[in-house]
Amino acid sequence: LNFDELYDEHFDFVWRSLRRLGVAPSDVQDLAQEVFMVVHRRLPYFEGRSKLTTWLFSICLHAARDRRRRAHVVHELVDGTVDERLVDHQADAYSLLERRDDLELFEAALASMDLEQRAVFTLFELEGVRGPELAMTLEVPLATAYSRLRLARETFRRAVARGLVFREGRLRLRRVR
Amino acid sequence: MNEPRRWLDISRALSAAERRVLVAGQTAPVPVGPKAAVKAALLAQLAAPATVAPAKAASLSPTARATATLSVVRATWLKFTAAGFALGLVGSAVASASLSEQRVQPALRTAPPARASSRPRADVVPRRDAPPLSPPPPPPVRPYRASAVVSRPVKPSVLAAPSIMLAAPPASASAVPAQSLLVRSMMDESNRIARARSFLRSNAAREALEVLDGVGREHPHGALVQEREILTIEALVSVGDTAAAGVAARRFLERYPTSPHAASARRALRIASAPSP
């Protein structure tokens, strides 16, 4: 396994994972650099007991968690869209009016989850990681991981439904005008 | 426990709209530019010294600082634990005379270095300012190979995956050889690109092409890949091979449409597409 190859092949994965974990677009570049610094240091000791992507994701998760912790200290918004301490679902719903395409709706749905829910949702639904590997990556018992997944799914459905309703409402409003 | 299945694997788990949203998230595009920028920054960061001296810690990124702080806290904790452990052993040694003395000494000698170093007994461990009893072997110096960076033997005792950010790097993990290899690679690429540029400026385009060809073979994914390609295009124009220059310029613009060198590529493309006199 070669660091250069790993970088080339998995940069996109790291970037996407960081975004999915709620890292603001303006911060992703810095954090990706920090993640790959850790990867560079740890790669010789990667034993292949988990998939490489799972290992990378766990590094991203720690980095995102660390960044979030620091952001709370300096009272800055973490993901640029929603600060969970200040969640106003009404305002969030209205802001969804401005989002048109499905990707934005997806990001809005993730933004309404907390970091742990995002992590399990991303790993399970998007990356297909399950069972003991899922629990090991998240460092929680499997039952806890699946419990978080259930909550994350509910949040996702609610957020998408809300987004679709407002999108529909907006379209109607346009037609009336 | 009921093992859940992925939504995307179940045909009726989601409505059409929900599925569309989920798939959009799964295939979210990644911007092209940052990949090279992060790599260049990474190489520059790797060129910095590995040890975190207090004076230098302020210039590090917050995550690096946090990791370094945790390492220090952990080392301090280990020191105190080791000191307590050693004091206990010494106490028991005093109580049980010569028999315990025979047990304590081997135990201390086989203790890990981090623990032993905190024990202030000159007969077991040298003072901090004294030279070590057996100096560690110097890091091996090897010629640059990209694979060499990660081909060091795997240490079974080191954590495999989780707690990455919180775990201090292992004491024996010498990052210096890997860093110097990467930095050497970057410097080599940079020097050769500079040499090619200088050939090109002195109207020696064929020599420039030779140098650039070599750089492309040895650093196909180097940090300066855009510079190499744009110089190749310029050199091809200079030697009159406008057809090849046009092809290369078109490929460059497809790959890096927002590159700062895109204007040069477009200029080369215009020259290549211009009717020959």
Side-chain angles (χ1 to χ4, degrees):
Chain A
L1 199 58
N2 173 305
F3 179 77
D4 285 347
E5 285 170 10
L6 182 149
Y7 183 89
D8 285 339
E9 284 173 26
H10 292 93
F11 180 84
D12 288 2
F13 174 81
V14 166
W15 186 277
R16 269 197 204 104
S17 297
L18 290 172
R19 285 291 295 127
R20 287 167 181 169
L21 290 169
V23 178
S26 56
D27 290 342
V28 177
Q29 196 160 318
D30 283 353
L31 214 53
Q33 185 183 335
E34 290 180 12
V35 165
F36 277 108
M37 278 300 289
V38 176
V39 170
H40 180 266
R41 204 170 63 230
R42 292 276 157 192
L43 189 59
Y45 307 108
F46 175 65
E47 293 173 334
R49 283 190 291 184
S50 60
K51 280 196 296 188
L52 185 61
T53 47
T54 317
W55 181 66
L56 289 172
F57 188 88
S58 75
I59 298 175
C60 292
L61 179 57
H62 279 102
R65 207 179 269 150
D66 187 54
R67 163 83 36 141
R68 180 166 289 245
R69 206 174 293 131
R70 276 183 276 130
H72 273 275
V73 173
V74 297
H75 304 293
E76 68 183 17
L77 295 185
V78 175
D79 50 23
T81 52
V82 177
D83 180 359
E84 284 151 16
R85 292 165 303 152
L86 307 170
V87 163
D88 176 346
H89 287 287
Q90 197 67 13
D92 186 38
Y94 278 116
S95 74
L96 282 176
L97 279 168
E98 301 301 314
R99 300 172 182 187
R100 295 192 182 184
D101 66 45
D102 293 329
L103 181 57
E104 284 178 337
L105 198 48
F106 173 81
E107 288 182 352
L110 282 190
S112 55
M113 298 176 194
D114 66 30
L115 181 62
E116 308 306 330
Q117 286 180 15
R118 282 171 192 243
V120 71
F121 189 83
T122 302
L123 274 176
F124 187 88
E125 297 293 357
L126 305 181
E127 302 299 332
V129 178
R130 53 196 293 182
E133 193 172 10
L134 180 70
M136 194 184 80
T137 308
L138 299 172
E139 298 171 337
V140 293
L142 189 55
T144 307
Y146 284 151
S147 165
R148 284 181 189 169
L149 176 66
R150 187 175 49 77
L151 293 173
R153 282 176 160 183
E154 286 170 10
T155 308
F156 179 84
R157 278 192 195 281
R158 269 201 309 272
V160 171
R162 197 166 60 227
L164 291 172
V165 164
F166 281 102
R167 189 190 286 181
E168 182 64 25
R170 188 175 194 186
L171 285 173
R172 280 187 192 163
L173 202 62
R174 275 191 177 175
R175 277 189 220 118
V176 171
R177 282 177 184 168
Chain B
M1 187 192 315
N2 278 340
E3 179 95 2
R5 289 172 61 201
R6 279 176 86 189
W7 271 347
L8 290 175
D9 294 341
I10 311 169
S11 56
R12 291 183 183 175
L14 297 168
S15 69
E18 286 172 337
R19 180 173 290 271
R20 225 177 38 238
V21 170
L22 196 55
V23 169
Q26 194 178 31
T27 55
V30 174
V32 181
K35 190 171 181 177
V38 170
K39 192 167 192 181
L42 204 57
L43 287 170
Q45 195 177 350
L46 285 169
T51 50
V52 183
K56 291 176 186 169
S59 63
L60 294 175
S61 71
T63 303
R65 276 205 300 275
T67 312
T69 309
L70 281 167
S71 310
V72 170
V73 168
R74 213 168 78 146
T76 312
W77 180 83
L78 276 175
K79 273 187 178 179
F80 279 113
T81 311
F85 178 64
L87 279 175
L89 287 177
V90 170
S92 67
V94 170
S96 59
S98 63
L99 180 62
S100 65
E101 183 64 21
Q102 287 168 4
R103 285 177 188 163
V104 169
Q105 293 304 328
L108 286 170
R109 284 199 187 102
T110 54
R115 291 166 186 246
S117 65
S118 66
R119 192 169 183 277
R121 277 185 56 169
D123 57 338
V124 177
V125 173
R127 287 193 349 251
R128 224 178 254 173
D129 54 350
L133 290 176
S134 55
V141 178
R142 283 173 283 180
Y144 172 73
R145 275 187 301 116
S147 58
V149 174
V150 292
S151 63
R152 279 176 282 157
V154 171
K155 290 210 159 206
S157 62
V158 179
L159 290 174
S163 304
I164 302 294
M165 297 298 284
L166 296 179
S172 59
S174 61
V176 176
Q179 284 180 13
S180 58
L181 286 172
L182 276 164
V183 171
R184 218 176 297 162
S185 158
M186 188 178 69
M187 293 307 290
D188 176 59
E189 185 187 9
S190 169
N191 289 339
R192 291 165 77 174
I193 292 275
R195 197 159 71 242
R197 186 178 284 119
S198 131
F199 273 132
L200 200 56
R201 297 291 168 260
S202 52
N203 294 325
R206 290 196 189 281
E207 286 80 355
L209 276 175
E210 274 174 28
V211 173
L212 291 166
D213 194 38
V215 177
R217 272 198 310 273
E218 289 188 31
H219 307 281
H221 305 293
L224 301 172
V225 65
Q226 289 188 33
E227 284 71 15
R228 172 170 56 80
E229 289 191 13
I230 208 71
L231 281 176
T232 306
I233 293 167
E234 284 181 24
L236 285 170
V237 171
S238 295
V239 298
D241 192 351
T242 50
V247 170
R250 206 166 287 121
R251 201 173 55 212
F252 183 91
L253 289 170
E254 277 168 14
R255 278 192 205 159
Y256 317 109
T258 57
S259 163
H261 304 295
S264 303
R266 272 191 286 274
R267 201 164 46 241
L269 199 56
R270 272 200 303 276
I271 293 171
S273 341
S276 51

